[in-house]
Amino acid sequence: SDPSVASRQLRVEGGAAFGTGEHQTTRMCCEWLQETKFPAFYTMCDYGCGSGILALTALRFGAACAVGIDIDPDCVKAAERNRASNGFGVNEARFYLPSLDAGGDASSIAYVNKRFTSAPEGVAPFPEGELPCDVVVANILLRPLLALRDTILAKVRPGGALAMSGVRVDQVDDVLGA
């Protein structure tokens, strides 16, 4: 087998977390991260990280560091396990629940806040003051994409790149109109 391919492969245990790499939108995001020429040592945010596969892919293909955010504490823990099993340290990849004020409406904020009461020890909200990233990928469903639009956009540094995926073809007009 080709050693250059083997050195870039990831071991990802999805478990209860989304993101084993089998879904078409996840594969498309992985391909985008692999094929796009980003600045050297770029920073990346995987919003709706699930297993952390997109953050880990970014690290394998040139990101200096990545952060992942997911509303599910089990996903945050799964992403942390996947980070460790692929040899990345906490200085390279960190995974969080959303900040307490994430979301564009009261019901989204209430849902996020409810998740914190059931979060296992060591699962923390996205820290205030974390700088925007060079590259942000949000591979989540349409409704959360729209509700979190401003939150996600705030994670992209000026001049950075944003990929939003998980939208069906019949929903494109809803995204473009938002």
Side-chain angles (χ1 to χ4, degrees):
S1 72
D2 184 346
S4 67
V5 171
S7 70
R8 294 199 173 198
Q9 289 181 336
L10 293 169
R11 289 176 307 249
V12 177
E13 179 185 325
F18 286 97
T20 59
E22 298 298 320
H23 193 273
Q24 183 179 11
T25 59
T26 306
R27 284 196 313 269
M28 289 187 320
C29 289
C30 285
E31 289 171 7
W32 182 72
L33 288 166
Q34 292 171 44
E35 296 170 2
T36 304
K37 301 295 180 214
F38 296 115
F41 308 110
Y42 69 94
T43 58
M44 188 269 193
C45 176
D46 179 0
Y47 206 100
C49 67
S51 68
I53 190 169
L54 298 178
L56 300 175
T57 297
L59 289 170
R60 274 286 192 263
F61 287 86
C65 67
V67 295
I69 301 167
D70 202 284
I71 198 162
D72 187 337
D74 292 331
C75 290
V76 173
K77 286 300 213 184
E80 289 173 345
R81 286 191 305 274
N82 288 326
R83 176 199 67 222
S85 71
N86 282 283
F88 296 112
V90 293
N91 59 329
E92 295 167 292
R94 299 174 311 280
F95 297 95
Y96 302 102
L97 291 168
S99 58
L100 292 173
D101 61 353
D105 57 56
S107 66
S108 296
I109 293 170
Y111 183 77
V112 169
N113 288 334
K114 183 178 176 187
R115 301 300 283 189
F116 285 106
T117 63
S118 64
E121 187 174 328
V123 176
F126 191 76
E128 286 186 37
E130 183 91 19
L131 295 174
C133 293
D134 299 306
V135 176
V136 175
V137 178
N139 183 31
I140 54 180
L141 300 173
L142 175 65
R143 189 163 170 237
L145 274 176
L146 294 177
L148 295 164
R149 180 186 67 186
D150 293 339
T151 300
I152 293 168
L153 289 173
K155 304 289 181 238
V156 185
R157 76 158 177 78
L162 170 65
M164 295 190 321
S165 184
V167 177
R168 296 188 322 256
V169 172
D170 63 311
Q171 297 173 324
V172 170
D173 288 339
D174 293 331
V175 173
L176 296 174

